[in-house]
Amino acid sequence: MIQSQLIFWVGCVSALLVGPLMADELLERDGRYIHLTTDLASAEEAESLVASFDAAITQWIQFWNLEDDAITNLKVEACVIRNKAEFTRRGLIPAKVPDFPFGYAQGNKVWVFAQQSEYYTRHLLLHEGAHSLAYHLFDGAGPTWFQEGSAELLATHHGKDLDIAVNRIPLSRDDAPFWGRFKRMNQAREQSQVPTFETVLGYQPNLTGDVATYSWSWAACMMLSVYPEYRPAFLAAARNGQETGPLFNRQLQTALGNQWPILAARWRLTCNDIDYGFDWNREQVNLSAKDPIWDGNDLRIQIQPDRGWQSCGVRIPRGAKIRVTAEGEITLADQPKPWVSQPPGITFQYHRGRPLGQLQLCLLPNAHDPQAVRLEPLKIQGIDDQPILSVPQYSWLLFRVNDSFGELKDNRGSYQVTLQRAR
Ligand SMILES: [Zn+2]
């Protein structure tokens, strides 16, 4: 702040000497759906923001399952700001706009602070723009979790300009510098502070820009929008955007009906895993409340290394003792030479502290406590740790191969897993 004021002052002095006031000029760029005013130093970045925003809007319209002509007369008046005092002095931030840490949207007007990376500035502009679009299309953006979660969902992206693709999880930290959502989610996991789905639904409005609140809201909206069985309820909820009270959640819960316990179980897995490169096409988990109870007879299943958690298709009763054995071979990569792994994994390469290629298992409880505030962390174990499994409560038994989320697609082969009753 001090530094930019100094530059401004120096600019004024030189202007007195040499003519027009240059340091003081704001850049303005006009697009189809956005008019941008900014004090960014780079005209190229300003133009890129406009191009990215216009390209994003058509993708948002498709995301909300609307026709291309759903937008009538929307022009978002956006300020991307480095020096807030200057925008205030020019009347570009009206007094009625509250203090905001990152960005703020009011109708078709949005204000965003320029960040330390172009990615994050673009993310915030898209986030606020997604609010504007919700006001335009649906007369509101719903309660906090839905409002912030869907804006985050439509703001996360790959690429920029005409090549931007929205609703994409960044592949690596280098792709999204300073964005920090997964860093915050990892902290919550380490501190056992991961909220239940119900906690997220109950988030109250706040203007502190709390990254954790935004991140879990984003995860909830992602989950509701990717599973085909939840998606219609999610899209219907958006159309209910003028409702910001408890009625919004009640209608969503009614629409999802008896799918709630499965959703809650999937939420536990998602929250345990989600990270850079997470690919929903591979990470949707097949679970059903109608899965039969395991009868104790030997059960053989194949575990694919290019998918996330895979259920063995039965629910394991409380008190069961299971011997788990696994065999087979998978290939995790071909470069510089084939990386072949067996169920214990490759002990010279690790992901999340466990050998790459290791077969992992997880007991996912069937029961769901709607009153809980935080999630009980899941116990994930490698196949080597404990071949005999004691099951304390009715649970699904799931397996996956340990690998980075963005590295699953070239994996091949499979592990054959056998469950036997242990005595
Ligand atoms: Zn927001």
Side-chain angles (χ1 to χ4, degrees):
M1 180 70 86
I2 289 169
Q3 202 178 20
S4 60
Q5 281 170 346
L6 261 180
I7 290 167
F8 174 63
W9 190 76
V10 169
C12 291
V13 170
S14 61
L16 287 174
L17 299 174
V18 298
L21 195 64
M22 295 306 291
D24 207 10
E25 290 298 317
L26 296 180
L27 269 173
E28 293 195 45
R29 289 292 183 274
D30 201 49
R32 181 168 176 203
Y33 297 112
I34 182 171
H35 182 87
L36 174 68
T37 305
T38 183
D39 58 351
L40 283 172
S42 159
E44 199 183 329
E45 186 183 354
E47 282 151 22
S48 174
L49 284 173
V50 168
S52 303
F53 190 92
D54 279 344
I57 281 228
T58 50
Q59 296 174 38
W60 294 344
I61 291 293
Q62 285 165 10
F63 175 84
W64 291 124
N65 209 13
L66 293 164
E67 299 297 325
D68 290 345
D69 59 5
I71 297 183
T72 48
N73 261 338
L74 175 67
K75 188 83 152 195
V76 172
E77 298 287 336
C79 291
V80 173
I81 303 162
R82 290 197 303 171
N83 181 357
K84 185 183 180 188
E86 181 56 19
F87 281 78
T88 305
R89 188 182 70 76
R90 289 166 180 262
L92 290 168
I93 309 176
K96 63 177 193 258
V97 172
D99 272 340
F100 54 89
F102 296 107
Y104 190 72
Q106 204 169 61
N108 71 329
K109 293 190 169 43
V110 307
W111 298 268
V112 169
F113 285 124
Q115 301 296 311
Q116 292 183 71
S117 75
E118 287 193 25
Y119 179 91
Y120 198 17
T121 304
R122 193 162 52 238
H123 173 95
L124 292 180
L125 178 64
L126 296 176
H127 175 115
E128 300 306 334
H131 288 326
S132 280
L133 183 68
Y135 304 148
H136 181 78
L137 294 173
F138 310 128
D139 290 330
T144 299
W145 73 272
F146 192 88
Q147 174 180 321
E148 301 309 338
S150 57
E152 286 288 281
L153 182 132
L154 295 173
T156 42
H157 63 277
H158 292 172
K160 60 178 183 175
D161 304 338
L162 292 176
D163 292 329
I164 198 169
V166 302
N167 191 11
R168 297 286 193 284
I169 297 176
L171 298 176
S172 72
R173 198 168 55 175
D174 293 342
D175 286 346
F178 298 99
W179 170 73
R181 285 0 183 204
F182 289 132
K183 182 180 175 188
R184 191 66 192 79
M185 291 165 115
N186 272 321
Q187 284 168 352
R189 282 193 277 256
E190 280 162 17
Q191 297 161 2
S192 298
Q193 292 292 316
V194 179
T196 59
F197 204 85
E198 287 81 358
T199 299
V200 174
L201 262 51
Y203 282 151
Q204 294 303 303
N206 76 71
L207 284 166
T208 61
D210 175 42
V211 171
T213 304
Y214 281 35
S215 303
W216 299 118
S217 300
W218 168 50
C221 287
M222 271 193 289
M223 215 178 84
L224 290 171
S225 63
V226 295
Y227 278 97
E229 59 269 45
Y230 309 147
R231 191 166 164 71
F234 179 79
L235 292 176
R239 279 119 178 112
N240 210 6
Q242 75 287 358
E243 180 63 52
T244 56
L247 186 63
F248 182 97
N249 287 346
R250 272 210 300 280
Q251 288 180 342
L252 177 76
Q253 279 167 308
T254 304
L256 291 169
N258 56 13
Q259 302 188 71
W260 205 257
I262 299 292
L263 184 150
R266 285 169 168 160
W267 174 251
R268 287 186 75 171
L269 287 169
T270 298
C271 293
N272 180 77
D273 290 343
I274 195 160
D275 211 335
Y276 292 107
F278 189 89
D279 178 354
W280 281 105
N281 292 321
R282 297 173 189 281
E283 298 288 344
Q284 291 182 41
V285 187
N286 228 335
L287 294 177
S288 168
K290 294 181 184 138
D291 288 337
I293 305 286
W294 183 47
D295 56 10
N297 290 327
D298 291 5
L299 189 64
R300 271 174 243 286
I301 42 168
Q302 299 265 338
I303 300 303
Q304 308 305 325
D306 59 351
R307 293 201 55 81
W309 289 106
Q310 297 154 61
S311 167
C312 49
V314 293
R315 293 180 297 127
I316 312 289
R318 180 177 53 226
K321 271 195 170 167
I322 310 172
R323 180 184 304 279
V324 182
T325 49
E327 55 185 15
E329 224 168 60
I330 59 170
T331 305
L332 294 168
D334 288 310
Q335 299 300 330
K337 56 180 183 138
W339 286 27
V340 176
S341 176
Q342 291 166 345
I346 301 172
T347 49
F348 58 87
Q349 283 286 338
Y350 287 77
H351 168 64
R352 289 197 173 177
R354 290 183 178 278
L356 220 58
Q358 185 184 60
L359 180 66
Q360 301 189 310
L361 57 90
C362 168
L363 280 168
L364 179 64
N366 295 162
H368 164 59
D369 174 9
Q371 305 301 324
V373 176
R374 306 268 167 243
L375 288 180
E376 191 77 26
L378 287 171
K379 291 190 186 73
I380 313 288
Q381 61 184 76
I383 193 70
D384 255 13
D385 297 358
Q386 220 180 3
I388 305 281
L389 206 60
S390 294
V391 182
Q393 56 180 314
Y394 279 84
S395 302
W396 288 283
L397 177 57
L398 308 157
F399 296 89
R400 78 175 296 157
V401 170
N402 187 41
D403 197 359
S404 304
F405 296 107
E407 302 285 339
L408 299 185
K409 65 175 177 294
D410 60 349
N411 296 353
R412 49 184 207 274
S414 68
Y415 289 148
Q416 293 80 51
V417 178
T418 305
L419 309 185
Q420 293 170 296
R421 193 200 294 267
R423 293 176 211 285

